[in-house]
Amino acid sequence: MAGNEYRFFNHLSLTVILFSFLGCLFSSPAEAAIKRYQFDIQVKNVSRLCHAKPIVTVNGRHGLKQYRNGWADGPAYITQCPIQTGNSYTYDFNVTGQRGTLWWHAHIFWLRATVYGAFVIMPKQGTPFPFPQPNTEFEILLGEWWNGDVEKLVKQGNDMGLPPNSSDAHTINGKPGPLFPCSEKHTFAMEVEQGKTYLLRIVNAALNDELFFAIAGHYMTVVEVDAVYTKPFTTEAILIAPGQTTNVLVKANQVPGRYCMAARTFMDVPLATDNNTATAILQYKGVPNTVVPILPQLPALNDTAFALNYNKKLRSLNSPQFPANVPLKVDRNLFFTVGLGMDSCPTCVKGTRLLASLNNISFVMPKIGLLQAHYFNIKGVFRADFPDRPPTPFNYTGAPLSTNLGTLSGTRLSKIAFNSTVELVLQDTNLLTVESHPFHLHGYNFFVVGTGVGNFDPKKDPAKYNLVDPIERNTVGVPTGGWTAIRFRADNPGVWFMHCHLELHTGWGLKTAFVVQDGPNSDQTVLPPPKDLPPC
């Protein structure tokens, strides 16, 4: 299924009809003309790595701003209940003020292992890119493949109180490439012509791995991340976390031949991971397939220095046409600790199971959509008292702690006043181990105003913030044993999911949601729900 891609021009209205045969859930894309797509969800047999198995496919949403319309956002039990088997749901919404590369995916269980695709929102007709016009574009979707049934592996891990097995391969446009067995027919190839420039729209749709990506013999110029233009910079490799998108320009200026594109995990702590390298081919026109492709030199698996330096280079374009409207005054300061811990589990292998938390709270999914509970004022579904800071301060990145500091479980949300400005500092901790975490906030873009290694210092670190041209995006990595500070204006009312984009950690409870209150005017309130909203 990987590689499905939908294009439309900015200022279109889009209606997507989604039919479910498996009880799974989605949302789908983007404003005066109307575009309609029908997504049929089915199980089909697919073969990879000498293994055949049934997977969930779409004929073949995530990232698009749903202003006032969380009903089209998609996360199960956050903005709606799942689409039941045999039923359908129409996601009807506008795309306003956005253009670039985004993506859609399943948002329940681990179904996004196979159910995902790219959204390409083109600028208004006649509006050029703020960088050299490419001759051609390609979508590059990075993913993962398991030989076994993914849901069974997850259930087995949960029952045992252990992480499930890592994936058996990474993929590029659904194909692992020639470094894997039985992959002669499962290699993506991209033909280029000498002297031309190509725009690659890269999406990391992997469930659990941050990835390095490089092209042998070719430099890449980064021009956009998460559908926001950047100050261009040239690099031999990029780092892209699950949930993120990156657009790069590539010039076909090398000796005609066959060059490998490659993706491999970034992991700078000693944890089990899929460190296999997925490859695809950049092939110059006229070069025969018998030519052996050249492999790129990727950063080392644990190259922390590259990761930190790469992210420091990301800056918003901040031009008159594309300004960076960074909030300079902050109304609400939040400080969330990110931690892993252990919980009692008498039936598990070691008598414990893994859980994850924000501010010592491991999120429990409700049985009814949180947006529904908020809109209809249904009591007892959630509490709006998520703490602004951890209840027990400690040396967050010091020696590893074996205790979970009394982690609580519950459905607790943070209430935010409409149009207030928010600064959120996400602090990694050494509860069990430090680890990097890519966090995604639904319904908003935010500015990454600061990041660092070690414990955040509220007296010294804000003085180092970039408040001029920080990168604007919707998914950001919290560095291993470090912190990241983001700012946004809460001008989109509703209930908006915030979660680690490592599916493993999300399942363990590393998530919460913001209840952004209605504004004073009628056009600053949550829209009424659609009539065909799935029942709970």
Side-chain angles (χ1 to χ4, degrees), residues 14 19 34 45 77 83 117 120 138 178 216 232 323 359 396 417 458 467 492:
L14 185 68
F19 290 88
I34 297 176
N45 285 322
Y77 299 107
I83 303 169
V120 176
F138 290 94
N359 281 356
Y396 305 116
L467 300 178
N492 192 5

Side-chain angles (χ1 to χ4, degrees), residues 25 27 70 73-81 107 365 442 497:
L25 139 150
S27 56
D73 190 41
Y77 299 107
I78 304 296
T79 56
Q80 65 173 89
C81 291
H107 226 304
M365 295 298 287
H442 287 241
F497 199 24

Side-chain angles (χ1 to χ4, degrees), residues 93-114:
F93 51 90
N94 295 331
V95 172
T96 306
Q98 279 191 285
R99 39 98 229 96
T101 306
L102 294 166
W103 68 303
W104 57 266
H105 62 82
H107 226 304
I108 187 169
F109 308 127
W110 283 35
L111 284 180
R112 73 177 178 90
T114 57

Side-chain angles (χ1 to χ4, degrees), residues 461-475:
D461 286 326
K464 306 172 188 174
Y465 283 176
N466 176 8
L467 300 178
V468 177
D469 61 350
I471 194 62
E472 180 183 356
R473 60 189 324 162
N474 60 48
T475 304

Side-chain angles (χ1 to χ4, degrees), residues 114-276:
T114 57
V115 182
Y116 59 87
F119 271 145
V120 176
I121 309 172
M122 300 301 291
K124 296 178 185 178
Q125 291 185 346
T127 302
F129 294 126
F131 48 79
Q133 181 73 28
N135 297 100
T136 308
E137 303 178 12
F138 290 94
E139 288 72 43
I140 305 293
L141 282 86
L142 311 177
E144 290 181 90
W145 169 267
W146 280 261
N147 288 329
D149 183 290
V150 177
E151 292 303 323
K152 288 182 179 178
L153 289 171
V154 174
K155 184 180 185 303
Q156 182 184 48
N158 289 338
D159 290 345
M160 297 175 68
L162 300 171
N165 294 340
S166 300
S167 55
D168 295 290
H170 291 111
T171 60
I172 299 177
N173 285 357
K175 301 176 180 181
L179 299 183
F180 292 89
C182 302
S183 292
E184 293 82 2
K185 296 180 180 179
H186 300 306
T187 300
F188 172 72
M190 182 178 85
E191 186 178 79
V192 300
E193 294 186 43
Q194 179 76 29
K196 291 188 175 181
T197 299
Y198 297 85
L199 180 66
L200 304 189
R201 299 178 178 270
I202 306 168
V203 177
N204 186 349
L207 272 74
N208 294 308
D209 291 330
E210 296 181 83
L211 297 170
F212 293 120
F213 177 85
I215 306 173
H218 295 74
Y219 285 94
M220 295 175 286
T221 301
V222 177
V223 294
E224 178 192 300
V225 297
D226 293 358
V228 176
Y229 293 135
T230 67
K231 288 183 169 65
F233 67 93
T234 300
T235 181
E236 291 182 334
I238 69 168
L239 175 65
I240 183 168
Q244 293 181 337
T245 71
T246 303
N247 284 8
V248 300
L249 292 175
V250 178
K251 292 182 179 179
N253 56 5
Q254 299 300 303
V255 175
R258 301 177 78 221
Y259 298 84
C260 277
M261 300 181 282
R264 186 177 64 196
T265 301
F266 164 59
M267 173 59 74
D268 56 355
V269 290
L271 295 176
T273 186
D274 175 3
N275 62 0
N276 295 307

Side-chain angles (χ1 to χ4, degrees), residues 47-68:
S47 178
R48 296 286 188 276
L49 311 186
C50 312
H51 289 76
K53 68 171 184 177
I55 66 170
V56 182
T57 65
V58 172
N59 54 318
R61 192 198 103 162
H62 161 90
L64 291 174
K65 293 180 184 176
Q66 300 289 342
Y67 185 67
R68 304 173 56 208

Side-chain angles (χ1 to χ4, degrees), residues 402-421:
S402 59
T403 178
N404 61 18
L405 297 179
T407 299
L408 303 174
S409 295
T411 310
R412 298 173 65 178
L413 281 56
S414 180
K415 184 178 289 187
I416 306 291
F418 179 79
N419 211 35
S420 61
T421 54

